[in-house]
Amino acid sequence: MKNKNELFNYLLFGVLTTIVNIASFAVFDKVLGLDYKLATTIAWVLSVIFAFVTNKLYVFSSKNIGGKSVFREFISFLFFRGLSYVLDIASMIILIDFVKIDSLLAKIAANVMVVVFNYFASKYVIFKPSSSSEGAEADEKIT
């Protein structure tokens, strides 16, 4: 049951993070007329901050509250979100400059790939259970 709730929460906050990403991209790209690469980067920063907080608190219910633990999670989160940024910006460049589709449609397509990548990185690396009894029980169930 926990996995279903986790997946539901990830999808819910993933949709909200995607809305933050796409809406902020649209404002910077379409309304303010910034270059799509700069708009993508700003949208990424805003959505990463939103995603870290919601993933930590509501999706993976990370109980780590100590400064070192939170810092480790945040650095790990930034590393993997940095990888997803590379996937995002590369997709945008390919779709806009080479395939020649509209920047907003490219952003939506890129986000589909990014969401899948981010889920697996968050679940299995960033917010995995610590070596507490909960983590040990989960490991025992797998073996």
Side-chain angles (χ1 to χ4, degrees):
M1 185 63 121
K2 180 183 175 194
N3 286 338
K4 286 183 183 181
N5 287 337
E6 181 181 280
L7 184 58
F8 174 79
N9 285 341
Y10 183 80
L11 291 173
L12 172 66
F13 288 107
V15 166
L16 293 175
T17 299
T18 300
I19 290 170
V20 167
N21 191 285
I22 292 171
S24 57
F25 172 80
V27 168
F28 292 114
D29 179 56
K30 301 293 187 189
V31 176
L32 298 177
L34 295 180
D35 177 76
Y36 77 86
K37 293 175 205 119
L38 180 58
T40 296
T41 302
I42 295 169
W44 175 82
V45 169
L46 295 174
S47 62
V48 163
I49 293 167
F50 179 82
F52 178 75
V53 172
T54 58
N55 276 266
K56 178 171 180 49
L57 299 177
Y58 304 112
V59 177
F60 299 107
S61 302
S62 174
K63 305 296 184 212
N64 296 328
I65 58 171
K68 283 175 103 174
S69 296
V70 172
F71 182 73
R72 182 199 59 79
E73 285 178 345
F74 187 67
I75 294 302
S76 181
F77 190 82
L78 280 180
F79 173 77
F80 282 99
R81 291 300 164 114
L83 294 177
S84 70
Y85 169 75
V86 171
L87 177 62
D88 188 8
I89 198 74
S91 300
M92 295 291 289
I93 291 168
I94 291 166
L95 292 171
I96 293 169
D97 292 344
F98 297 103
V99 180
K100 305 289 186 196
I101 70 170
D102 178 72
S103 60
L104 195 54
L105 290 175
K107 186 65 175 163
I108 293 167
N111 264 269
V112 171
M113 294 179 280
V114 166
V115 165
V116 172
F117 174 82
N118 286 339
Y119 174 76
F120 287 104
S122 292
K123 176 160 180 68
Y124 295 109
V125 180
I126 301 164
F127 299 112
K128 68 181 178 181
S130 62
S131 58
S132 68
S133 61
E134 181 181 352
E137 288 173 11
D139 288 342
E140 288 176 13
K141 290 179 184 175
I142 293 172
T143 58

